[in-house]
Amino acid sequence: MPQAVPTGGAPAGARPGPAAAVSAARAPVAAPRAPAVTGGGPVVPAQAAPRGSGRPAEPAQRHARPVITELRLSAFGRHRGAAFPIGPVTLFAGPSGSGKSQVLAAYEALAGLGAGATLDEAFPDPAARIPERAVPDAQRRRGFRLGCTVDGPAGPVRLDLAVQAEPALRIAGERLSQDGQILFATALRDPGRRSVQAAWLTGGAVGVTRAPLPDDRLGTALLPLRVAGSTAGQRKVLTAAEQVIVALRSVFACDPRPDRMRAPVPQGEGRLQGDCANLADVLRRTRRECGTRHALLAEAARTGCAGPVAALDVRAPDGGTVSAVLDRGPGRPATELARLGAGELRFLALALVLLTGPGVLDMDPAAELLSAQQALTVLADGLDRGLDGGQSAELLRLALLSCGRGHVRLVAAVGEGTAAAARRLEGVSVVDLSS
């Protein structure tokens, strides 16, 4: 088994390389749950992992597009042994301190790693993710564990990750498995080197391929660069890895910042940033390129903005900056977005995200698949922050409208008022973290 750092029940870490190692041990490659540190070689991919170690979130449904159906926080912040089913619209609710933001942070970190981010980019404050009361081992190591299940054309695929946060940030172990079979895994062989031993299923006379990989990147994301795909075993590994990466890269984390949305912005590509500071420039683009979606957004604005709204318009002098306005109708002066309340601005930005797609969002989805074969997942921590009941209800309506088509999914943290309303809506899953 790969070495693990105790986390008071959470695995610690050794660095995994981009291609995960498959070890010759009989135990699963995931970081061990026991606090003791154990050594050993990589796990052999052909071995079966214990069955029943995690239930798929939506077992009866086969997904045409790769999507995350379960998020696992085995030892992450205040969460231990947690498995959260993820559906088309999933809202996390609970009192302050219940761990809603940590769930969203874990999802976003996995998405970043899948897109090629390094560990320090995905976890800028790794110490905050170590479980409470985690006890370091003799080498002063502590860490955390997380993972997910991605369903799609290839069926459910599990990704499990153990990260060492102290004394240095490294991946301790990584495992990619399907139907109880380990396809790819990493193990730390020499803590003094900045690499891990990786192994993946090859099949044929070779059986398993082993190679050193970096310890600061997700190995699964590097497999398409390392596996030739010349054998049935290699093709199975590639198919599983690519399904996971497509799902992880199809994520847009959105947290509109009204204080950054009021000033006119330079004309640009019209790709919405995560803080929505360039909302006016994106409205300029949607008005020009997608009249139907722009009209739907204007219709939503009639519910989410005070006063009459005839249309959403922009002012863009030649070569100048862009500002957006609410057209109040004949005989009424338009209202610049700069004069709107913070809740109105957040509402407009979130409505735009739900009504649009990857081509209008500042993200880099997997290029190997057509956008029609991918499902965009919107992450929104504090979806209803600063919104009134009517605005929150309209966002839920838009979410159900967009997510019902299968191209968009929403994972968000909300307050109890929005959660109470959402529990009465068919198609919305509310995860209560209060217990």
Side-chain angles (χ1 to χ4, degrees):
M1 284 179 75
Q3 289 184 344
V5 178
T7 58
R15 310 180 176 203
V22 188
S23 150
R26 295 279 178 188
V29 171
R33 295 179 179 274
V37 178
T38 53
V43 173
V44 178
Q47 292 182 334
R51 295 187 181 275
S53 53
R55 59 178 175 78
E58 301 166 61
Q61 182 179 0
R62 175 55 56 88
H63 296 269
R65 304 176 184 87
V67 294
I68 292 178
T69 55
E70 183 178 72
L71 179 67
R72 293 183 296 279
L73 301 184
S74 305
F76 191 89
R78 65 175 293 113
H79 299 286
R80 290 179 181 271
F84 304 115
I86 304 296
V89 181
T90 305
L91 306 180
F92 288 87
S96 177
S98 60
K100 301 187 297 293
S101 293
Q102 291 203 344
V103 173
L104 274 291
Y107 201 129
E108 186 176 357
L110 285 173
L113 292 171
T118 59
L119 272 183
D120 56 354
E121 292 170 335
F123 299 104
D125 186 11
R129 308 307 177 193
I130 300 174
E132 299 175 8
R133 299 182 299 279
V135 179
D137 68 357
Q139 286 76 44
R140 299 179 294 108
R141 296 180 302 172
R142 297 195 303 166
F144 49 88
R145 287 185 288 121
L146 68 166
C148 63
T149 296
V150 175
D151 206 347
V157 179
R158 287 174 58 98
L159 172 67
D160 294 288
L161 188 65
V163 179
Q164 173 185 297
E166 297 173 353
L169 186 62
R170 312 173 68 176
I171 294 181
E174 180 180 352
R175 180 178 67 189
L176 188 71
S177 61
Q178 186 174 26
D179 297 328
Q181 183 183 36
I182 298 173
L183 304 178
F184 167 75
T186 61
L188 180 66
R189 302 298 298 273
D190 183 355
R193 301 183 63 179
R194 299 298 301 185
S195 64
V196 293
Q197 183 68 28
W200 56 87
L201 180 66
T202 303
V206 177
V208 174
T209 299
R210 292 182 173 86
L213 292 171
D215 65 355
D216 64 342
R217 293 181 184 272
L218 188 70
T220 299
L222 299 178
L223 284 176
L225 304 176
R226 302 298 298 266
V227 181
S230 56
T231 68
Q234 289 178 342
R235 288 191 289 273
K236 184 172 184 179
V237 172
L238 280 176
T239 298
E242 289 170 353
Q243 178 168 289
V244 169
I245 297 309
V246 167
L248 291 178
R249 292 185 65 177
S250 304
V251 172
F252 181 71
C254 180
D255 185 13
R257 295 285 303 273
D259 57 314
R260 301 179 183 177
M261 298 163 62
R262 300 183 184 282
V265 297
Q267 294 189 32
E269 297 180 349
R271 289 167 60 89
L272 189 67
Q273 300 164 1
D275 63 0
C276 303
N278 63 334
L279 176 65
D281 187 46
V282 179
L283 292 176
R284 174 188 61 83
R285 178 183 173 187
T286 58
R287 186 188 63 165
R288 183 180 70 248
E289 297 180 2
C290 189
T292 300
R293 290 181 178 177
H294 192 83
L296 287 173
L297 181 62
E299 181 181 342
R302 297 185 186 102
T303 299
C305 297
V309 176
L312 279 170
D313 206 350
V314 293
R315 294 171 178 169
D318 292 340
T321 56
V322 183
S323 59
V325 298
L326 293 183
D327 182 348
R328 297 298 190 178
R332 297 173 181 267
T335 302
E336 294 186 2
L337 261 61
R339 301 179 65 87
L340 297 183
E344 292 175 301
L345 287 173
R346 278 184 55 83
F347 169 83
L348 284 175
L350 290 165
L352 173 61
V353 171
L354 291 172
L355 289 171
T356 186
V360 184
L361 304 177
D362 189 14
M363 57 182 296
D364 185 23
E368 55 269 22
L369 279 183
L370 297 173
S371 59
Q373 296 175 306
Q374 302 181 49
L376 166 68
T377 297
V378 176
L379 295 184
D381 188 6
L383 176 74
D384 55 350
R385 188 188 318 128
L387 305 187
D388 60 32
Q391 292 167 331
S392 299
E394 179 65 7
L395 283 184
L396 290 179
R397 186 190 72 82
L398 293 177
L400 288 171
L401 173 68
S402 299
C403 298
R405 299 167 181 161
H407 292 279
V408 179
R409 293 165 73 88
L410 173 65
V411 180
V414 298
E416 183 50 42
T418 301
R423 291 187 183 98
R424 299 190 294 268
L425 297 177
E426 183 178 356
V428 179
S429 300
V430 179
V431 181
D432 190 357
L433 299 180
S434 59
S435 56

